[in-house]
Amino acid sequence: MATEAPPPPRDGTGSATAPASPTTEQFVEVQEGEEFGELRRTYRSFAFPLTLAFIAWYLLYVLLSNYAGGFMGTKVFGNINVALVLGLGQFATTFLIAWLYSRHAANRLDPKAEAIRERMEADA
């Protein structure tokens, strides 16, 4: 469902005028710049290692489930076995990584991205 209403203003003044959009050349120039490269490195230095660690952790769980049935069936307490504990650990790990990424983005990525955006809008 499309609307003809203008987007809300960013400056909080109630004005419906939007800042000028940067040109394609300006986007390419910023993308090739050092500041954008630093933003990408900051993102990658967090995302890639955690992604690889989580994939390794998940594959370990799958391999243990397939080939170490005796170990996975070991009772921890009551009817709770190692497989259930590790399976629930997968969910806990997922939420932990999401929370860590949210903090990382808010503290390190968003300020850099906002500075780039503001500079581009000022130059447009």
Side-chain angles (χ1 to χ4, degrees), residues 14-33:
S15 168
T17 60
S21 296
T23 64
T24 303
E25 292 79 18
Q26 289 170 318
F27 276 111
V28 171
E29 180 182 330
V30 167
Q31 183 181 8
E32 293 172 350

Side-chain angles (χ1 to χ4, degrees), residues 2-70:
T3 180
E4 297 299 320
R10 289 186 178 213
D11 59 3
T13 62
S15 168
T17 60
S21 296
T23 64
T24 303
E25 292 79 18
Q26 289 170 318
F27 276 111
V28 171
E29 180 182 330
V30 167
Q31 183 181 8
E32 293 172 350
E34 180 60 32
E35 189 176 26
F36 192 78
E38 177 62 29
L39 177 63
R40 271 195 311 247
R41 280 188 296 281
T42 303
Y43 168 75
R44 289 176 180 165
S45 69
F46 182 88
F48 288 174
L50 270 179
T51 300
L52 291 174
F54 184 78
I55 289 171
W57 159 229
Y58 176 74
L59 290 176
L60 174 67
Y61 175 73
V62 170
L63 290 172
L64 287 173
S65 295
N66 283 320
Y67 301 110

